[in-house]
Amino acid sequence: MEIERKYLIAFLPEGYEKYPFHEMEQAYLCTDPVVRIRKEDEEYYMTYKSKGLLVREEYNLPLTGNAYEHLLKKADGIILKKRRYRIPVEGTAFTAELDIFDGKYQGLMLVEVEFGTKEEADAFKAPAWFGRDVTFSGEYQNSRLALR
């Protein structure tokens, strides 16, 4: 189960570059339901996500590099590229996943926070740098970005 809120960044937090990050590349084999393939540094995954915005089912399966490259040729839309920073959210037990996009979406910055329960997600107070909550609009779901 994935319970997550997403925000369109207002401004970058000071010192974000000092936090750990991953280089990511991902593409979509299907968007209804979502079937995604992802390269994260030197690891590869296929992910299934059910419908939903705040709460949805999510399953990850490992892939080999060869399987990823084979499936990448079958992807719909564009390949998304981004750097993901993992930043502790001050005063909470949560971690912000700051995505800074490259390629077609260079300059786009989004942040996501995953929660253990819907109640935690509903009660979450985002820091000012998070900007606009776009969780329920769906307009910034990566599967939609890949097809635009």
mmCIF file of all heavy atoms in Angstrom, residues 89-121:
data_model
loop_
_atom_site.group_PDB
_atom_site.id
_atom_site.type_symbol
_atom_site.label_atom_id
_atom_site.label_comp_id
_atom_site.label_asym_id
_atom_site.label_seq_id
_atom_site.Cartn_x
_atom_site.Cartn_y
_atom_site.Cartn_z
ATOM 1 N N VAL A 89 12.088 15.655 7.160
ATOM 2 C CA VAL A 89 11.158 16.767 7.350
ATOM 3 C C VAL A 89 11.287 17.205 8.812
ATOM 4 O O VAL A 89 10.968 16.438 9.724
ATOM 5 C CB VAL A 89 9.703 16.373 7.021
ATOM 6 C CG1 VAL A 89 8.764 17.551 7.264
ATOM 7 C CG2 VAL A 89 9.592 15.882 5.581
ATOM 8 N N GLU A 90 11.775 18.412 9.003
ATOM 9 C CA GLU A 90 12.070 18.927 10.341
ATOM 10 C C GLU A 90 10.859 18.811 11.265
ATOM 11 O O GLU A 90 9.727 19.125 10.884
ATOM 12 C CB GLU A 90 12.498 20.396 10.244
ATOM 13 C CG GLU A 90 13.075 20.935 11.520
ATOM 14 C CD GLU A 90 13.640 22.332 11.353
ATOM 15 O OE1 GLU A 90 14.175 22.642 10.267
ATOM 16 O OE2 GLU A 90 13.556 23.096 12.321
ATOM 17 N N GLY A 91 11.113 18.311 12.479
ATOM 18 C CA GLY A 91 10.066 18.210 13.486
ATOM 19 C C GLY A 91 9.130 17.024 13.314
ATOM 20 O O GLY A 91 8.128 16.931 14.020
ATOM 21 N N THR A 92 9.449 16.117 12.362
ATOM 22 C CA THR A 92 8.607 14.945 12.132
ATOM 23 C C THR A 92 9.495 13.713 11.972
ATOM 24 O O THR A 92 10.717 13.815 11.884
ATOM 25 C CB THR A 92 7.756 15.084 10.843
ATOM 26 O OG1 THR A 92 8.588 14.881 9.694
ATOM 27 C CG2 THR A 92 7.072 16.439 10.752
ATOM 28 N N ALA A 93 8.855 12.563 11.864
ATOM 29 C CA ALA A 93 9.575 11.311 11.591
ATOM 30 C C ALA A 93 9.581 10.999 10.096
ATOM 31 O O ALA A 93 10.028 9.932 9.685
ATOM 32 C CB ALA A 93 8.912 10.167 12.360
ATOM 33 N N PHE A 94 9.097 11.930 9.266
ATOM 34 C CA PHE A 94 8.939 11.679 7.836
ATOM 35 C C PHE A 94 10.151 12.139 7.033
ATOM 36 O O PHE A 94 10.912 12.997 7.465
ATOM 37 C CB PHE A 94 7.678 12.372 7.311
ATOM 38 C CG PHE A 94 6.434 11.928 8.020
ATOM 39 C CD1 PHE A 94 5.727 12.803 8.819
ATOM 40 C CD2 PHE A 94 5.987 10.624 7.908
ATOM 41 C CE1 PHE A 94 4.585 12.403 9.488
ATOM 42 C CE2 PHE A 94 4.847 10.199 8.569
ATOM 43 C CZ PHE A 94 4.147 11.091 9.364
ATOM 44 N N THR A 95 10.271 11.553 5.851
ATOM 45 C CA THR A 95 11.331 11.913 4.915
ATOM 46 C C THR A 95 10.699 12.457 3.641
ATOM 47 O O THR A 95 9.800 11.834 3.075
ATOM 48 C CB THR A 95 12.196 10.689 4.580
ATOM 49 O OG1 THR A 95 12.790 10.203 5.793
ATOM 50 C CG2 THR A 95 13.297 11.043 3.591
ATOM 51 N N ALA A 96 11.188 13.610 3.200
ATOM 52 C CA ALA A 96 10.748 14.196 1.933
ATOM 53 C C ALA A 96 11.607 13.611 0.819
ATOM 54 O O ALA A 96 12.825 13.486 0.961
ATOM 55 C CB ALA A 96 10.906 15.708 1.964
ATOM 56 N N GLU A 97 10.964 13.230 -0.278
ATOM 57 C CA GLU A 97 11.688 12.771 -1.461
ATOM 58 C C GLU A 97 11.561 13.874 -2.506
ATOM 59 O O GLU A 97 10.527 14.035 -3.139
ATOM 60 C CB GLU A 97 11.110 11.451 -1.959
ATOM 61 C CG GLU A 97 11.318 10.333 -0.959
ATOM 62 C CD GLU A 97 10.759 8.998 -1.419
ATOM 63 O OE1 GLU A 97 9.797 8.969 -2.221
ATOM 64 O OE2 GLU A 97 11.302 7.972 -0.975
ATOM 65 N N LEU A 98 12.626 14.661 -2.623
ATOM 66 C CA LEU A 98 12.669 15.803 -3.533
ATOM 67 C C LEU A 98 13.149 15.339 -4.894
ATOM 68 O O LEU A 98 14.278 14.852 -5.022
ATOM 69 C CB LEU A 98 13.615 16.875 -2.970
ATOM 70 C CG LEU A 98 13.982 18.022 -3.908
ATOM 71 C CD1 LEU A 98 12.763 18.842 -4.296
ATOM 72 C CD2 LEU A 98 15.058 18.895 -3.265
ATOM 73 N N ASP A 99 12.300 15.484 -5.907
ATOM 74 C CA ASP A 99 12.650 15.099 -7.276
ATOM 75 C C ASP A 99 12.940 16.350 -8.096
ATOM 76 O O ASP A 99 12.090 17.239 -8.219
ATOM 77 C CB ASP A 99 11.501 14.331 -7.941
ATOM 78 C CG ASP A 99 11.307 12.941 -7.372
ATOM 79 O OD1 ASP A 99 12.213 12.432 -6.698
ATOM 80 O OD2 ASP A 99 10.233 12.357 -7.627
ATOM 81 N N ILE A 100 14.156 16.403 -8.652
ATOM 82 C CA ILE A 100 14.538 17.478 -9.570
ATOM 83 C C ILE A 100 14.718 16.833 -10.930
ATOM 84 O O ILE A 100 15.595 16.000 -11.127
ATOM 85 C CB ILE A 100 15.821 18.185 -9.093
ATOM 86 C CG1 ILE A 100 15.584 18.784 -7.695
ATOM 87 C CG2 ILE A 100 16.244 19.251 -10.101
ATOM 88 C CD1 ILE A 100 16.794 19.452 -7.091
ATOM 89 N N PHE A 101 13.838 17.209 -11.854
ATOM 90 C CA PHE A 101 13.777 16.556 -13.154
ATOM 91 C C PHE A 101 14.823 17.098 -14.122
ATOM 92 O O PHE A 101 15.246 18.246 -14.030
ATOM 93 C CB PHE A 101 12.384 16.726 -13.764
ATOM 94 C CG PHE A 101 11.340 15.866 -13.105
ATOM 95 C CD1 PHE A 101 10.806 16.202 -11.873
ATOM 96 C CD2 PHE A 101 10.897 14.708 -13.718
ATOM 97 C CE1 PHE A 101 9.852 15.417 -11.257
ATOM 98 C CE2 PHE A 101 9.945 13.904 -13.116
ATOM 99 C CZ PHE A 101 9.419 14.252 -11.883
ATOM 100 N N ASP A 102 15.166 16.253 -15.075
ATOM 101 C CA ASP A 102 16.088 16.580 -16.153
ATOM 102 C C ASP A 102 15.361 16.267 -17.464
ATOM 103 O O ASP A 102 14.232 15.802 -17.461
ATOM 104 C CB ASP A 102 17.366 15.738 -16.013
ATOM 105 C CG ASP A 102 18.541 16.327 -16.760
ATOM 106 O OD1 ASP A 102 18.402 17.411 -17.373
ATOM 107 O OD2 ASP A 102 19.610 15.701 -16.740
ATOM 108 N N GLY A 103 16.016 16.505 -18.578
ATOM 109 C CA GLY A 103 15.406 16.175 -19.866
ATOM 110 C C GLY A 103 14.251 17.096 -20.191
ATOM 111 O O GLY A 103 14.310 18.303 -19.938
ATOM 112 N N LYS A 104 13.168 16.535 -20.725
ATOM 113 C CA LYS A 104 12.008 17.322 -21.152
ATOM 114 C C LYS A 104 11.452 18.183 -20.013
ATOM 115 O O LYS A 104 10.946 19.269 -20.244
ATOM 116 C CB LYS A 104 10.914 16.406 -21.690
ATOM 117 C CG LYS A 104 9.677 17.156 -22.117
ATOM 118 C CD LYS A 104 8.604 16.266 -22.690
ATOM 119 C CE LYS A 104 7.395 17.107 -23.071
ATOM 120 N NZ LYS A 104 6.331 16.334 -23.659
ATOM 121 N N TYR A 105 11.524 17.698 -18.802
ATOM 122 C CA TYR A 105 10.966 18.420 -17.659
ATOM 123 C C TYR A 105 12.035 19.111 -16.817
ATOM 124 O O TYR A 105 11.822 19.376 -15.629
ATOM 125 C CB TYR A 105 10.133 17.475 -16.795
ATOM 126 C CG TYR A 105 8.850 17.076 -17.475
ATOM 127 C CD1 TYR A 105 8.689 15.794 -17.993
ATOM 128 C CD2 TYR A 105 7.815 17.976 -17.624
ATOM 129 C CE1 TYR A 105 7.516 15.425 -18.633
ATOM 130 C CE2 TYR A 105 6.638 17.627 -18.271
ATOM 131 C CZ TYR A 105 6.500 16.348 -18.762
ATOM 132 O OH TYR A 105 5.332 15.989 -19.410
ATOM 133 N N GLN A 106 13.157 19.417 -17.434
ATOM 134 C CA GLN A 106 14.223 20.103 -16.695
ATOM 135 C C GLN A 106 13.660 21.348 -16.023
ATOM 136 O O GLN A 106 12.962 22.142 -16.653
ATOM 137 C CB GLN A 106 15.370 20.485 -17.622
ATOM 138 C CG GLN A 106 16.538 21.057 -16.860
ATOM 139 C CD GLN A 106 17.805 21.089 -17.687
ATOM 140 O OE1 GLN A 106 17.856 20.608 -18.800
ATOM 141 N NE2 GLN A 106 18.845 21.665 -17.123
ATOM 142 N N GLY A 107 13.952 21.478 -14.738
ATOM 143 C CA GLY A 107 13.447 22.614 -13.971
ATOM 144 C C GLY A 107 12.233 22.278 -13.126
ATOM 145 O O GLY A 107 11.930 22.998 -12.175
ATOM 146 N N LEU A 108 11.524 21.202 -13.457
ATOM 147 C CA LEU A 108 10.378 20.785 -12.643
ATOM 148 C C LEU A 108 10.898 20.187 -11.343
ATOM 149 O O LEU A 108 11.831 19.383 -11.345
ATOM 150 C CB LEU A 108 9.535 19.746 -13.388
ATOM 151 C CG LEU A 108 8.343 19.172 -12.610
ATOM 152 C CD1 LEU A 108 7.335 20.259 -12.258
ATOM 153 C CD2 LEU A 108 7.680 18.058 -13.419
ATOM 154 N N MET A 109 10.294 20.599 -10.228
ATOM 155 C CA MET A 109 10.690 20.092 -8.915
ATOM 156 C C MET A 109 9.431 19.716 -8.143
ATOM 157 O O MET A 109 8.533 20.541 -7.972
ATOM 158 C CB MET A 109 11.491 21.148 -8.156
ATOM 159 C CG MET A 109 12.815 21.490 -8.828
ATOM 160 S SD MET A 109 13.720 22.791 -7.974
ATOM 161 C CE MET A 109 12.704 24.221 -8.340
ATOM 162 N N LEU A 110 9.399 18.470 -7.708
ATOM 163 C CA LEU A 110 8.285 17.956 -6.918
ATOM 164 C C LEU A 110 8.834 17.319 -5.658
ATOM 165 O O LEU A 110 9.985 16.880 -5.632
ATOM 166 C CB LEU A 110 7.510 16.890 -7.715
ATOM 167 C CG LEU A 110 6.877 17.338 -9.023
ATOM 168 C CD1 LEU A 110 6.394 16.134 -9.817
ATOM 169 C CD2 LEU A 110 5.722 18.293 -8.748
ATOM 170 N N VAL A 111 8.010 17.246 -4.634
ATOM 171 C CA VAL A 111 8.393 16.543 -3.421
ATOM 172 C C VAL A 111 7.234 15.653 -2.992
ATOM 173 O O VAL A 111 6.073 16.030 -3.123
ATOM 174 C CB VAL A 111 8.826 17.516 -2.288
ATOM 175 C CG1 VAL A 111 7.676 18.364 -1.796
ATOM 176 C CG2 VAL A 111 9.477 16.767 -1.148
ATOM 177 N N GLU A 112 7.579 14.450 -2.550
ATOM 178 C CA GLU A 112 6.599 13.490 -2.065
ATOM 179 C C GLU A 112 6.967 13.080 -0.646
ATOM 180 O O GLU A 112 8.146 13.034 -0.289
ATOM 181 C CB GLU A 112 6.611 12.220 -2.935
ATOM 182 C CG GLU A 112 6.302 12.456 -4.382
ATOM 183 C CD GLU A 112 6.494 11.202 -5.233
ATOM 184 O OE1 GLU A 112 7.064 10.206 -4.745
ATOM 185 O OE2 GLU A 112 6.070 11.236 -6.396
ATOM 186 N N VAL A 113 5.940 12.754 0.128
ATOM 187 C CA VAL A 113 6.130 12.197 1.457
ATOM 188 C C VAL A 113 5.228 10.979 1.567
ATOM 189 O O VAL A 113 4.047 11.060 1.233
ATOM 190 C CB VAL A 113 5.787 13.208 2.574
ATOM 191 C CG1 VAL A 113 5.953 12.577 3.952
ATOM 192 C CG2 VAL A 113 6.650 14.455 2.452
ATOM 193 N N GLU A 114 5.806 9.860 2.002
ATOM 194 C CA GLU A 114 5.035 8.635 2.194
ATOM 195 C C GLU A 114 4.678 8.482 3.666
ATOM 196 O O GLU A 114 5.463 8.825 4.544
ATOM 197 C CB GLU A 114 5.818 7.423 1.699
ATOM 198 C CG GLU A 114 5.981 7.440 0.195
ATOM 199 C CD GLU A 114 6.439 6.108 -0.381
ATOM 200 O OE1 GLU A 114 6.306 5.070 0.306
ATOM 201 O OE2 GLU A 114 6.916 6.120 -1.518
ATOM 202 N N PHE A 115 3.485 7.926 3.903
ATOM 203 C CA PHE A 115 2.941 7.795 5.252
ATOM 204 C C PHE A 115 2.548 6.352 5.521
ATOM 205 O O PHE A 115 2.261 5.589 4.595
ATOM 206 C CB PHE A 115 1.713 8.704 5.406
ATOM 207 C CG PHE A 115 2.007 10.148 5.127
ATOM 208 C CD1 PHE A 115 1.830 10.670 3.863
ATOM 209 C CD2 PHE A 115 2.489 10.973 6.127
ATOM 210 C CE1 PHE A 115 2.118 12.003 3.589
ATOM 211 C CE2 PHE A 115 2.786 12.303 5.867
ATOM 212 C CZ PHE A 115 2.601 12.824 4.596
ATOM 213 N N GLY A 116 2.489 6.010 6.808
ATOM 214 C CA GLY A 116 2.064 4.678 7.213
ATOM 215 C C GLY A 116 0.558 4.516 7.215
ATOM 216 O O GLY A 116 0.044 3.413 7.038
ATOM 217 N N THR A 117 -0.171 5.631 7.426
ATOM 218 C CA THR A 117 -1.630 5.582 7.466
ATOM 219 C C THR A 117 -2.213 6.805 6.763
ATOM 220 O O THR A 117 -1.543 7.838 6.627
ATOM 221 C CB THR A 117 -2.160 5.583 8.919
ATOM 222 O OG1 THR A 117 -1.855 6.853 9.524
ATOM 223 C CG2 THR A 117 -1.554 4.437 9.733
ATOM 224 N N LYS A 118 -3.478 6.696 6.373
ATOM 225 C CA LYS A 118 -4.181 7.821 5.764
ATOM 226 C C LYS A 118 -4.323 8.960 6.782
ATOM 227 O O LYS A 118 -4.226 10.132 6.419
ATOM 228 C CB LYS A 118 -5.548 7.382 5.247
ATOM 229 C CG LYS A 118 -6.297 8.475 4.522
ATOM 230 C CD LYS A 118 -7.627 7.978 3.996
ATOM 231 C CE LYS A 118 -8.385 9.059 3.261
ATOM 232 N NZ LYS A 118 -8.599 10.302 3.986
ATOM 233 N N GLU A 119 -4.507 8.604 8.038
ATOM 234 C CA GLU A 119 -4.653 9.612 9.091
ATOM 235 C C GLU A 119 -3.382 10.456 9.227
ATOM 236 O O GLU A 119 -3.459 11.674 9.402
ATOM 237 C CB GLU A 119 -4.999 8.946 10.430
ATOM 238 C CG GLU A 119 -6.387 8.314 10.474
ATOM 239 C CD GLU A 119 -6.505 6.992 9.699
ATOM 240 O OE1 GLU A 119 -5.481 6.313 9.490
ATOM 241 O OE2 GLU A 119 -7.624 6.671 9.280
ATOM 242 N N GLU A 120 -2.220 9.816 9.131
ATOM 243 C CA GLU A 120 -0.963 10.566 9.155
ATOM 244 C C GLU A 120 -0.885 11.520 7.964
ATOM 245 O O GLU A 120 -0.474 12.675 8.116
ATOM 246 C CB GLU A 120 0.240 9.617 9.098
ATOM 247 C CG GLU A 120 0.505 8.856 10.350
ATOM 248 C CD GLU A 120 1.673 7.880 10.212
ATOM 249 O OE1 GLU A 120 2.051 7.508 9.083
ATOM 250 O OE2 GLU A 120 2.213 7.506 11.263
ATOM 251 N N ALA A 121 -1.280 11.045 6.800
ATOM 252 C CA ALA A 121 -1.252 11.889 5.600
ATOM 253 C C ALA A 121 -2.199 13.071 5.731
ATOM 254 O O ALA A 121 -1.858 14.201 5.366
ATOM 255 C CB ALA A 121 -1.604 11.053 4.367
#
